[in-house]
Amino acid sequence: MNNRSTTAREVIGDYLAEQCTVIIDSEAELRAGENVIHKVRVAVRRFRSTIRVFADLFDAEQAARMEEELVWWAGLLGEVRDMDILTQRQQALLAELPPELILGPVESTIQEELAVQRKQAMDDMLEALNSEHYRKFIGMAHHWRSDPPFTAAAEASADSKKGWQAAHQSSCSPPRRRAVG
């Protein structure tokens, strides 16, 4: 059995590394048109939640910058995912209607319109993959994966109740106010 103490830095760092890996590795799959948007959005949400829950364990300025980038990326991915979900829901709703209530090419008109909107959202997301903004975001994700900007508080032991109480302190405290401007 390993007697070595595990720190919050190690546990949370490993978890963040997993989320960063999903985000970083998804680029090729997204470019290839593979259906990974939901998986990437989940990783982004987990990353954002970790930053918020353990706010006191991260450098506030770097965490705020990463939060902004994650919100930006989630927004682009969300536009595509929203169209996927809306298409599924519309198809299900139309399937429930009696055929005599559907006059004309209702189903194909809805599908065509949603497909156009999804294509636009996908084009916007793919265009973002080629942007300097995305390159900087992925650079930040690489940094967070290998060396997250932890504070000294992250050295608390994750093996003891006392250590986790110190690490979880931010989740029980009111959120810190960030300076505006």
Side-chain angles (χ1 to χ4, degrees):
M1 180 171 226
N2 186 356
N3 289 334
R4 187 175 154 273
S5 179
T6 303
T7 64
R9 169 190 291 267
E10 293 168 322
V11 173
I12 295 167
D14 288 348
Y15 184 73
L16 283 178
E18 290 174 20
Q19 307 321 310
C20 288
T21 297
V22 170
I23 293 166
I24 293 164
D25 291 352
S26 69
E27 183 176 348
E29 297 165 313
L30 290 167
R31 288 183 187 280
E34 294 180 30
N35 190 11
V36 296
I37 290 175
H38 179 67
K39 175 178 79 171
V40 179
R41 287 187 72 214
V42 169
V44 168
R45 277 195 307 271
R46 288 175 176 169
F47 196 154
R48 289 182 65 207
S49 294
T50 303
I51 290 173
R52 277 180 273 152
V53 169
F54 299 104
D56 291 341
L57 302 184
F58 298 108
D59 174 83
E61 186 178 314
Q62 290 187 55
R65 276 199 312 266
M66 181 51 102
E67 171 75 12
E68 289 173 16
E69 296 305 312
L70 291 166
V71 167
W72 168 76
W73 190 232
L76 288 166
L77 295 170
E79 292 295 322
V80 178
R81 180 72 177 154
D82 289 350
M83 288 297 104
D84 292 341
I85 291 169
L86 187 56
T87 299
Q88 291 170 359
R89 288 183 180 165
Q90 290 299 321
Q91 289 172 342
L93 289 171
L94 284 171
E96 292 176 9
L97 290 174
E100 62 271 9
L101 293 180
I102 301 174
L103 303 175
V106 173
E107 186 172 2
S108 64
T109 302
I110 291 171
Q111 286 178 353
E112 287 172 20
E113 181 58 33
L114 293 176
V116 166
Q117 291 179 33
R118 186 192 191 281
K119 183 183 181 328
Q120 181 60 56
M122 189 70 172
D123 288 348
D124 291 346
M125 187 269 305
L126 290 171
E127 184 178 326
L129 287 175
N130 295 321
S131 71
E132 185 62 26
H133 190 161
Y134 180 76
R135 289 287 125 228
K136 287 180 181 176
F137 165 59
I138 289 301
M140 290 173 67
H142 277 281
H143 173 72
W144 276 74
R145 179 169 66 177
S146 63
D147 187 23
F150 284 113
T151 64
E155 296 305 323
S157 172
D159 293 335
S160 70
K161 184 176 179 186
K162 211 176 215 184
W164 271 113
Q165 286 172 339
H168 282 76
Q169 183 176 6
S170 66
S171 65
C172 299
S173 304
R176 292 187 300 198
R177 299 220 181 244
R178 301 200 194 279
V180 177

